[in-house]
Amino acid sequence: MTMEGAGKRALITGLSGFTGHYVAEELRAAGYQVYGTITPGRTAAEGEFAVDLNDGAALAQVVQQVQPDVVVHLAAIAFVAHGDVEQIYRVNVMGTRNLLQALAAQSHRPSAVLLASSANIYGNTDVGVISESVAAAPANDYAVSKLAMEYMARLWQDKLPLIFVRPFNYTGVGQQENFLLPKIVGHFRRQASDIELGNLHVWRDFSDVRMVARCYRRLLAAAPVGQTFNVCSGHGWSLGEVLDMMGEIAGYKINVRVNPAFVRANEVVRLVGDHARLAAAIGPLEPVPLADTLRWMYSA
């Protein structure tokens, strides 16, 4: 049986990032030859290119060298509270534009270019479960940059086979502790008696990064070009429920203090996704139960 990616070259931007690592593993296991861009200043291994997305000429050289059959564009400023707003827009919008321009200039046309947007673009909505048809209402610069990226990228849809994904929250081993679940797991691993958190009354749809990587691979294979997909578990968890789950795993209850500095203005209260369109395109998703993901992170 021929492997899905046999003889195909995959280019992943943001290969050295949290998600990039898992997408690379997933694609290699499917037979792809994986290449990727990493942050400048890091030491590049074989098949890696230390390149700034805002250096259009250097990026074009990488694309020319790799001649990718499929592309997964993950490189972005992904932390909502990132301090440098100008950099958020420069990387997330102009960096993506440079990539699309480089790909469109190639004679070798990829079969699928997957662009990672974000469920953050939906903002604060009163819809219980969010489908792709819910109107965007971005509530922070990161979300605005991702929505702008989607609109800008559509200028290339007659030249490139674009697929847009809007992942909801996801986590796993290797995610930095400035993200919520790794922070909680880290405190329990260190047997900390206290933890400072922001608003506890928020509900989030948490997925396992391994499921997200699997969905991306299956989208590349199915190539539903021009479409936008939520990537999510379809289930909402409150922070209180997550803390209870971790308490059971670690065998003790942590003392929670709400720090007003961590409570964001215009905080999105409930962010739970509908993945019916994704499942229709790639088949059943098989989400990993959140308790299993937390256990994996705790024992890593």
mmCIF file of all heavy atoms in Angstrom, residues 109-114 156-157 159-163 225-226:
data_model
loop_
_atom_site.group_PDB
_atom_site.id
_atom_site.type_symbol
_atom_site.label_atom_id
_atom_site.label_comp_id
_atom_site.label_asym_id
_atom_site.label_seq_id
_atom_site.Cartn_x
_atom_site.Cartn_y
_atom_site.Cartn_z
ATOM 1 N N ARG A 109 3.241 23.834 -8.790
ATOM 2 C CA ARG A 109 2.090 24.244 -7.980
ATOM 3 C C ARG A 109 1.783 23.189 -6.919
ATOM 4 O O ARG A 109 1.582 22.016 -7.219
ATOM 5 C CB ARG A 109 0.879 24.421 -8.905
ATOM 6 C CG ARG A 109 -0.392 24.909 -8.199
ATOM 7 C CD ARG A 109 -1.535 24.981 -9.210
ATOM 8 N NE ARG A 109 -2.843 24.879 -8.557
ATOM 9 C CZ ARG A 109 -3.654 25.907 -8.340
ATOM 10 N NH1 ARG A 109 -3.286 27.112 -8.708
ATOM 11 N NH2 ARG A 109 -4.838 25.728 -7.764
ATOM 12 N N PRO A 110 1.735 23.596 -5.640
ATOM 13 C CA PRO A 110 1.380 22.615 -4.599
ATOM 14 C C PRO A 110 -0.072 22.164 -4.733
ATOM 15 O O PRO A 110 -0.893 22.862 -5.348
ATOM 16 C CB PRO A 110 1.602 23.386 -3.292
ATOM 17 C CG PRO A 110 1.711 24.814 -3.650
ATOM 18 C CD PRO A 110 1.990 24.936 -5.111
ATOM 19 N N SER A 111 -0.382 21.005 -4.168
ATOM 20 C CA SER A 111 -1.762 20.499 -4.240
ATOM 21 C C SER A 111 -2.625 21.055 -3.112
ATOM 22 O O SER A 111 -3.846 21.052 -3.189
ATOM 23 C CB SER A 111 -1.763 18.969 -4.174
ATOM 24 O OG SER A 111 -1.163 18.540 -2.957
ATOM 25 N N ALA A 112 -1.975 21.555 -2.032
ATOM 26 C CA ALA A 112 -2.718 22.127 -0.909
ATOM 27 C C ALA A 112 -1.816 23.057 -0.116
ATOM 28 O O ALA A 112 -0.668 22.728 0.164
ATOM 29 C CB ALA A 112 -3.253 21.023 0.000
ATOM 30 N N VAL A 113 -2.359 24.237 0.241
ATOM 31 C CA VAL A 113 -1.655 25.195 1.101
ATOM 32 C C VAL A 113 -2.579 25.475 2.276
ATOM 33 O O VAL A 113 -3.614 26.126 2.122
ATOM 34 C CB VAL A 113 -1.330 26.508 0.346
ATOM 35 C CG1 VAL A 113 -0.676 27.517 1.290
ATOM 36 C CG2 VAL A 113 -0.441 26.238 -0.856
ATOM 37 N N LEU A 114 -2.214 24.934 3.435
ATOM 38 C CA LEU A 114 -3.053 25.076 4.628
ATOM 39 C C LEU A 114 -2.569 26.272 5.450
ATOM 40 O O LEU A 114 -1.400 26.346 5.825
ATOM 41 C CB LEU A 114 -3.001 23.790 5.448
ATOM 42 C CG LEU A 114 -3.932 23.713 6.670
ATOM 43 C CD1 LEU A 114 -4.520 22.310 6.800
ATOM 44 C CD2 LEU A 114 -3.197 24.073 7.947
ATOM 45 N N TRP A 156 -5.143 35.466 -3.345
ATOM 46 C CA TRP A 156 -4.348 34.449 -4.058
ATOM 47 C C TRP A 156 -5.153 33.193 -4.391
ATOM 48 O O TRP A 156 -4.609 32.239 -4.898
ATOM 49 C CB TRP A 156 -3.119 34.059 -3.214
ATOM 50 C CG TRP A 156 -1.917 34.877 -3.539
ATOM 51 C CD1 TRP A 156 -0.957 34.595 -4.470
ATOM 52 C CD2 TRP A 156 -1.546 36.125 -2.963
ATOM 53 N NE1 TRP A 156 -0.015 35.595 -4.503
ATOM 54 C CE2 TRP A 156 -0.353 36.548 -3.588
ATOM 55 C CE3 TRP A 156 -2.105 36.930 -1.983
ATOM 56 C CZ2 TRP A 156 0.287 37.733 -3.264
ATOM 57 C CZ3 TRP A 156 -1.467 38.117 -1.656
ATOM 58 C CH2 TRP A 156 -0.279 38.507 -2.290
ATOM 59 N N GLN A 157 -6.466 33.204 -4.108
ATOM 60 C CA GLN A 157 -7.169 31.923 -4.224
ATOM 61 C C GLN A 157 -7.342 31.443 -5.661
ATOM 62 O O GLN A 157 -7.572 30.258 -5.885
ATOM 63 C CB GLN A 157 -8.491 31.939 -3.467
ATOM 64 C CG GLN A 157 -9.520 32.921 -3.927
ATOM 65 C CD GLN A 157 -10.737 32.906 -2.996
ATOM 66 O OE1 GLN A 157 -10.785 32.162 -2.025
ATOM 67 N NE2 GLN A 157 -11.710 33.730 -3.297
ATOM 68 N N LYS A 159 -4.827 31.523 -7.690
ATOM 69 C CA LYS A 159 -3.495 31.028 -8.069
ATOM 70 C C LYS A 159 -3.029 29.849 -7.211
ATOM 71 O O LYS A 159 -2.182 29.071 -7.619
ATOM 72 C CB LYS A 159 -2.459 32.149 -7.931
ATOM 73 C CG LYS A 159 -2.720 33.375 -8.787
ATOM 74 C CD LYS A 159 -1.632 34.430 -8.561
ATOM 75 C CE LYS A 159 -1.971 35.762 -9.199
ATOM 76 N NZ LYS A 159 -3.003 36.513 -8.436
ATOM 77 N N LEU A 160 -3.567 29.733 -5.978
ATOM 78 C CA LEU A 160 -3.084 28.718 -5.036
ATOM 79 C C LEU A 160 -4.247 27.955 -4.399
ATOM 80 O O LEU A 160 -5.300 28.540 -4.141
ATOM 81 C CB LEU A 160 -2.254 29.381 -3.926
ATOM 82 C CG LEU A 160 -0.922 30.016 -4.329
ATOM 83 C CD1 LEU A 160 -0.400 30.900 -3.197
ATOM 84 C CD2 LEU A 160 0.110 28.953 -4.709
ATOM 85 N N PRO A 161 -4.049 26.645 -4.121
ATOM 86 C CA PRO A 161 -5.105 25.826 -3.510
ATOM 87 C C PRO A 161 -5.148 26.017 -1.987
ATOM 88 O O PRO A 161 -4.604 25.235 -1.222
ATOM 89 C CB PRO A 161 -4.697 24.399 -3.889
ATOM 90 C CG PRO A 161 -3.213 24.453 -4.025
ATOM 91 C CD PRO A 161 -2.856 25.844 -4.450
ATOM 92 N N LEU A 162 -5.785 27.098 -1.547
ATOM 93 C CA LEU A 162 -5.777 27.476 -0.132
ATOM 94 C C LEU A 162 -6.843 26.743 0.688
ATOM 95 O O LEU A 162 -7.975 26.569 0.240
ATOM 96 C CB LEU A 162 -5.994 28.988 0.005
ATOM 97 C CG LEU A 162 -5.022 29.896 -0.757
ATOM 98 C CD1 LEU A 162 -5.414 31.357 -0.566
ATOM 99 C CD2 LEU A 162 -3.587 29.662 -0.304
ATOM 100 N N ILE A 163 -6.461 26.350 1.892
ATOM 101 C CA ILE A 163 -7.390 25.782 2.885
ATOM 102 C C ILE A 163 -7.148 26.568 4.171
ATOM 103 O O ILE A 163 -6.001 26.726 4.598
ATOM 104 C CB ILE A 163 -7.099 24.285 3.143
ATOM 105 C CG1 ILE A 163 -7.187 23.478 1.848
ATOM 106 C CG2 ILE A 163 -8.051 23.709 4.199
ATOM 107 C CD1 ILE A 163 -6.477 22.133 1.921
ATOM 108 N N VAL A 225 -10.232 22.603 -1.258
ATOM 109 C CA VAL A 225 -9.680 23.924 -1.556
ATOM 110 C C VAL A 225 -10.724 25.038 -1.448
ATOM 111 O O VAL A 225 -11.876 24.869 -1.852
ATOM 112 C CB VAL A 225 -9.042 23.895 -2.966
ATOM 113 C CG1 VAL A 225 -8.635 25.280 -3.426
ATOM 114 C CG2 VAL A 225 -7.827 22.963 -2.944
ATOM 115 N N GLY A 226 -10.277 26.169 -0.873
ATOM 116 C CA GLY A 226 -11.135 27.347 -0.775
ATOM 117 C C GLY A 226 -12.019 27.359 0.454
ATOM 118 O O GLY A 226 -12.727 28.327 0.704
#
